[in-house]
């Protein structure tokens, strides 16, 4: 039952990714006339355009270009970056070499922020529900509504003002790493980027946990348990808590999805060497092969994350398992 | 203060969307949200008339601290921060409003058609929605802007398109419910064309989800568009813009933090204002003390099926 659903969702996901790849390819490669001219901009000379056209294989039919691009992508041939010496005729850095350390750094950032944010959000949500209408509940609820509206780059800049340049000068304002090193070698560089993302995602997880827990505590089965004289801590722990697992997993999944996009601005603010910052700089430099690969990776993460979240939520909830 | 005689959610819905807005504005939450929103809109609209200098004129030294002459000091190039703040909203807010309107109209049209026409149209529209939802919103916008460059019309279309799939999902769920009602069935039996049924019978019953969606999307629009300017993919950097200002003046935080704080604060106040007011609308319209997103997960979907898709 569940596995058929997993299979169906996976096939649909692959189909979605196929269409995504078409969209990405055409948006970056074909739509605006000649990509070679766009890349070279002012410095376009007939000779250079010709070299670049040959490298991008722009002189072949569009469908051919797409199919060979997709084939290369699937077999792991990601091509070469256009930045640096490519414009003078030499070969750029292989895209995979350029992206893989960034991918690792971004994964660390997303994983740490997601983990800390989820634990914090769920704990605060449960605490607020257990002390409903207390000052703690009121302050956290209004605070959550306010913080959900904050743009992540503003949160990041505020943290920089507080902890790096203004008030306390205890943390680095930028997280630049020497090339070839990973974020774990200098953990203090991770503090502010992770803190920014945690502040942005906690309110969502908090609100969902609070709503789900409130609903569970007002349910008939909790009422029944109370009438039977079950102690409050047992009710909270064994009757209410298991029932908030599916919605909470859903919202945690949604927040991991958000993080995949949220890293773009946060990595840019801190100059953190991840794929978000890589995407911004590749767009600035019109480095098409790099843009394509990063966007496809982010989309694949999105689609996979969606499936994983749905399946876990489904497995965690007996009621839903029967319903479908 | 005695609470005004509260109308029931159902009564509000009958008396139309202006009544809902008015009721929302009279709740404490709604009043705060609306005040903040209108304050920032006033700064953006009246600011250009009040600016002492041109925002592109050099009047002082870079990052000059605040003094009598430039009250908020100078920016990265020695331009007047106050003037740039006063002019910088007019380049931001109208774009956010336009992108929101575009996204809500396209998304609503897609969602309503998908739900009402069903069958193949539904499948095709919702699969396209899935494709657009496979990108983080900001990444989708950046992808669309990446080659053509940051043109104003393209920013509006790209941000609108990034909103459309979410709007379509919500409106589809809402339409599925409404189109089952008797008055719709009655009109269908009279042989009214589908387009007319959708615009004359279904659309008027979707004002609540439309209002809530517009509010939410406006909040996200300002966040995304300010973020784009912050990244340097907005309009030309000479044009004063709150998002651009936060980025370009970051390096001078130690000498003149006001060049970052004031534009940042205005963006924040607008986003908090629209978000809070939207929250008030949702609470008033549904008649519950809970936010739609939360209701969607845990609430009673039989009562308000469109809520289900709001997550």
């Amino acid at each position: 039952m569940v596995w058929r659903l997993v299979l169906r969702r996976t096939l649909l996901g692959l189909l979605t990714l196929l269409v995504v790849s078409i969209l990405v390819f055409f948006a970056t490669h074909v739509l605006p006339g000649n990509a070679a001219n766009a890349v070279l901009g002012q410095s376009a000379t007939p000779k250079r355009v010709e070299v670049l056209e040959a490298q991008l294989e722009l002189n072949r039919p569009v469908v051919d270009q797409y199919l060979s691009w997709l084939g290369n992508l699937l077999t792991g041939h990601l091509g070469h970056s256009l930045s640096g010496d490519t414009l003078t005729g030499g070969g750029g850095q292989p895209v995979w070499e350029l992206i893989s350390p960034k991918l690792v750094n971004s994964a660390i950032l997303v994983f740490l922020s997601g983990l800390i944010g989820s634990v914090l959000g769920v704990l605060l949500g449960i605490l607020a529900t257990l002390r409903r209408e207390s000052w703690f509940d009121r302050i956290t609820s209004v605070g959550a509504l306010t913080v959900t509206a904050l743009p992540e780059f503003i949160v990041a800049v505020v943290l920089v003002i507080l902890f790096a340049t203004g008030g306390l000068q205890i943390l680095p304002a930028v997280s630049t790493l020497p090339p070839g090193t990973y974020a774990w070698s200098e953990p203090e560089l991770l503090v502010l980027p992770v803190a920014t993302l945690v502040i942005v995602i906690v309110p969502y997880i908090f609100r969902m946990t609070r709503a789900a827990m409130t609903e569970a505590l007002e349910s008939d089965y909790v009422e029944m348990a109370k009438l039977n004289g079950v102690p409050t801590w047992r009710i909270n722990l064994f009757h209410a808590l298991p029932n908030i697992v599916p919605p909470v997993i859903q919202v945690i999944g949604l927040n991991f999805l958000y993080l995949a996009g949220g890293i773009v601005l946060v990595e840019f603010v801190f100059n953190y060497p991840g794929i978000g910052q890589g995407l911004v700089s590749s767009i600035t430099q019109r480095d098409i092969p790099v843009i394509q690969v990063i966007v496809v990776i982010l989309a694949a993460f999105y689609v996979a994350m969606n499936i994983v979240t749905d399946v876990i939520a489904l497995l965690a909830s007996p009621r839903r398992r029967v319903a479908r | 203060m005695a609470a005004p005689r509260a109308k029931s959610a159902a009564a509000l819905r009958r008396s139309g969307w202006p009544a809902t807005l008015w009721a929302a504005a009279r709740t404490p939450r709604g009043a705060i949200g609306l005040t903040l929103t209108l304050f920032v809109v006033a700064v953006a609209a009246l600011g250009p008339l009040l600016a002492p200098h041109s925002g592109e004129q050099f009047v002082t030294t870079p990052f000059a601290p605040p003094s009598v002459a430039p009250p908020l000091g100078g920016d990265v190039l020695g331009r007047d921060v106050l003037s740039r703040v006063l002019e910088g909203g007019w380049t931001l807010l109208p774009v956010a409003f336009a992108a929101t309107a575009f996204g809500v109209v396209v998304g609503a049209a897609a969602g309503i058609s998908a739900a009402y026409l069903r069958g193949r149209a539904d499948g095709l529209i919702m699969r396209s929605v899935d494709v657009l939802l496979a990108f983080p919103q900001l990444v989708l916008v950046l992808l669309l802007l990446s080659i053509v460059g940051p043109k104003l019309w393209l920013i509006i279309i790209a941000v609108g398109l990034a909103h459309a799939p979410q709007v379509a999902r919500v409106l589809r769920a809402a339409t599925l419910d409404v189109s089952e009602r008797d008055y719709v069935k009655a009109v269908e039996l009279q042989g009214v064309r589908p387009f007319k049924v959708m615009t004359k019978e279904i659309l008027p019953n979707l004002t609540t989800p439309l209002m809530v969606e517009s509010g939410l999307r406006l909040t996200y629009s300002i966040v995304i568009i300010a973020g784009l300017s912050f990244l340097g993919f907005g309009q030309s950097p000479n044009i004063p813009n709150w998002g651009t200002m936060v980025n370009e003046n970051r390096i001078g935080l130690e000498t003149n933090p006001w060049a970052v704080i004031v534009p940042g604060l205005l963006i924040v106040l607008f986003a908090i204002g629209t978000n809070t007011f939207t929250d008030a609308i949702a609470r008033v319209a549904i008649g519950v003390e809970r936010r739609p997103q939360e209701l969607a997960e845990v609430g009673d979907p039989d009562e308000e099926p469109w809520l289900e898709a709001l997550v």
Side-chain angles (χ1 to χ4, degrees):
Chain A
M1 188 74 190
V2 174
W3 297 116
R4 269 179 63 182
L5 186 93
V6 174
L7 192 69
R8 208 182 100 87
R9 292 293 311 266
T10 310
L11 288 177
L12 260 178
L14 288 177
L15 194 68
T16 307
L17 275 181
L18 189 71
V19 183
V20 163
S21 76
I22 296 175
L23 195 71
V24 170
F25 182 82
F26 279 76
T28 53
H29 226 161
V30 180
L31 264 183
N34 193 322
N37 271 322
V39 171
L40 292 170
Q42 296 294 328
S43 62
T45 62
K47 176 73 185 147
R48 285 179 156 190
V49 171
E50 207 175 289
V51 170
L52 194 62
E53 273 184 347
Q55 192 195 338
L56 294 172
E57 304 185 335
L58 289 177
N59 31 23
R60 293 166 51 205
V62 174
V63 180
D64 271 14
Q65 284 182 45
Y66 168 71
L67 288 178
S68 62
W69 174 76
L70 185 66
N72 286 336
L73 197 66
L74 291 176
T75 51
H77 297 91
L78 303 183
H80 291 264
S81 161
L82 295 180
S83 68
D85 52 349
T86 316
L87 300 186
T88 52
Q93 209 183 351
V95 173
W96 181 244
E97 250 174 49
L98 196 80
I99 286 182
S100 55
K102 292 182 192 292
L103 208 56
V104 174
N105 285 333
S106 286
I108 297 170
L109 185 58
V110 167
F111 179 74
L112 271 182
S113 326
L115 189 72
I116 298 173
S118 304
V119 172
L120 213 59
V122 171
L123 281 181
L124 286 174
I126 292 176
L127 268 178
T129 327
L130 295 183
R131 295 157 187 243
R132 240 185 309 168
E133 305 301 323
S134 68
W135 62 267
F136 177 78
D137 184 29
R138 280 164 212 272
I139 290 176
T140 45
S141 292
V142 171
L145 179 66
T146 312
V147 176
T148 35
L150 295 184
E152 53 278 75
F153 68 95
I154 301 264
V155 176
V157 169
V158 170
L159 289 183
V160 167
I161 294 178
L162 290 180
F163 295 106
T165 62
L168 303 161
Q169 308 197 344
I170 48 174
L171 288 163
V174 287
S175 308
T176 320
L177 278 166
T181 53
Y182 292 104
W184 57 71
S185 55
E186 291 182 56
E188 78 270 16
L189 297 183
L190 274 165
V191 177
L192 286 183
V194 168
T196 307
L197 290 168
V198 166
I199 289 175
V200 177
I201 65 171
V202 159
Y204 288 96
I205 299 172
F206 164 80
R207 295 171 69 121
M208 188 60 76
T209 309
R210 185 178 174 279
M213 193 69 185
T214 307
E215 183 73 14
L217 287 179
E218 284 169 358
S219 67
D220 293 342
Y221 52 82
V222 165
E223 190 67 23
M224 191 68 196
K226 269 187 204 159
L227 292 176
N228 282 336
V230 180
T232 314
W233 66 269
R234 268 196 85 94
I235 293 181
N236 292 339
L237 209 60
F238 294 116
H239 296 252
L241 214 51
N243 281 284
I244 71 166
V245 172
V248 167
I249 285 177
Q250 291 272 2
V251 76
I252 289 176
L254 279 176
N255 277 286
F256 269 100
L257 292 186
Y258 156 77
L259 285 174
I263 54 171
V264 175
L265 277 161
V266 173
E267 290 182 356
F268 174 78
V269 175
F270 294 105
N271 206 11
Y272 179 89
I275 49 171
Q277 180 248 32
L279 180 66
V280 173
S281 62
S282 62
I283 290 177
T284 315
Q285 296 163 5
R286 309 202 158 198
D287 194 343
I288 295 170
V290 180
I291 301 176
Q292 289 169 333
V293 172
I294 292 182
V295 173
V296 169
I297 289 175
L298 285 174
F301 173 76
Y302 240 58
V303 170
M305 197 66 210
N306 256 325
I307 299 173
V308 170
T309 314
D310 282 2
V311 171
I312 297 179
L314 201 74
L315 291 174
S317 156
R319 254 190 314 185
R320 287 183 194 209
R321 206 157 46 206
V322 179
R324 296 212 179 164
Chain B
M1 194 182 80
R5 255 177 302 155
K7 282 185 173 183
S8 77
L12 268 178
R13 229 169 296 162
R14 274 195 299 278
S15 40
W17 59 270
T20 311
L21 283 185
W22 180 236
R26 291 207 298 178
T27 63
R29 212 177 264 254
I32 294 173
L34 194 60
T35 311
L36 289 179
T37 310
L38 291 179
F39 168 72
V40 181
V41 169
V43 171
L46 303 177
L49 306 173
L50 303 173
H53 301 279
S54 155
E56 298 178 26
Q57 195 185 332
F58 306 105
V59 295
T60 177
T61 51
F63 294 125
S67 62
V68 185
L72 291 176
D75 79 347
V76 60
L77 296 176
R79 295 167 296 196
D80 181 29
V81 169
L82 178 66
S83 303
R84 282 178 78 78
V85 164
L86 289 172
E87 290 178 7
W90 196 239
T91 54
L92 194 62
L93 296 196
V95 185
F97 281 109
T100 308
F102 180 72
V104 170
V105 168
V106 171
I112 295 172
S113 318
Y116 187 70
L117 301 175
R118 314 222 164 151
R120 272 197 196 158
D122 188 12
L124 191 68
I125 292 173
M126 293 326 281
R127 290 293 83 76
S128 324
V129 162
D130 283 346
V131 170
L132 290 182
L133 283 178
F135 299 95
Q137 269 193 321
L138 184 66
V139 173
L140 180 64
V141 175
L142 286 176
L143 177 70
L144 294 175
L145 293 179
S146 64
I147 293 290
V148 183
K151 302 274 189 296
L152 197 58
W153 59 269
L154 191 63
I155 294 177
I156 293 173
I157 291 179
V159 175
L161 269 185
H163 288 322
Q166 325 261 0
V167 181
R169 276 193 159 181
V170 174
L171 268 293
R172 179 176 177 273
T175 310
L176 279 180
D177 169 50
V178 172
S179 60
E180 285 302 314
R181 304 227 175 118
D182 288 343
Y183 53 81
V184 176
K185 297 278 170 225
V187 190
E188 278 171 357
L189 288 176
Q190 291 166 17
V192 176
R193 293 212 317 276
F195 181 75
K196 254 195 148 166
V197 178
M198 286 192 271
T199 50
K200 290 266 150 70
E201 303 298 329
I202 294 179
L203 193 60
N205 287 291
L206 297 176
T207 49
T208 304
L210 275 174
M211 276 190 294
V212 174
E213 270 306 296
S214 305
L216 279 179
R217 297 303 145 203
L218 185 59
T219 307
Y220 296 150
S221 286
I222 200 76
V223 169
I224 294 181
I225 292 171
L228 279 178
S229 310
F230 179 81
L231 289 174
F233 296 118
Q235 294 128 291
S236 145
N238 283 330
I239 300 173
N241 175 307
W242 295 337
T244 317
M245 290 180 73
V246 174
N247 187 37
E248 65 190 7
N249 297 332
R250 263 194 307 151
I251 48 168
L253 268 178
E254 270 145 8
T255 38
N256 186 11
W258 298 107
V260 170
I261 294 174
V262 179
L265 191 66
L266 284 164
I267 298 172
V268 166
L269 289 182
F270 186 77
I272 292 178
T274 51
N275 195 40
T276 312
F277 188 54
T278 307
D279 195 69
I281 297 177
R283 282 165 191 261
V284 166
I286 306 154
V288 287
E289 272 302 296
R290 211 172 280 154
R291 197 179 157 84
Q293 273 119 318
E294 293 164 2
L295 252 189
E297 226 11 90
V298 296
D300 183 4
D302 294 335
E303 222 163 74
E304 286 288 344
W306 61 270
L307 289 171
E308 219 176 352
L310 254 184
V311 181

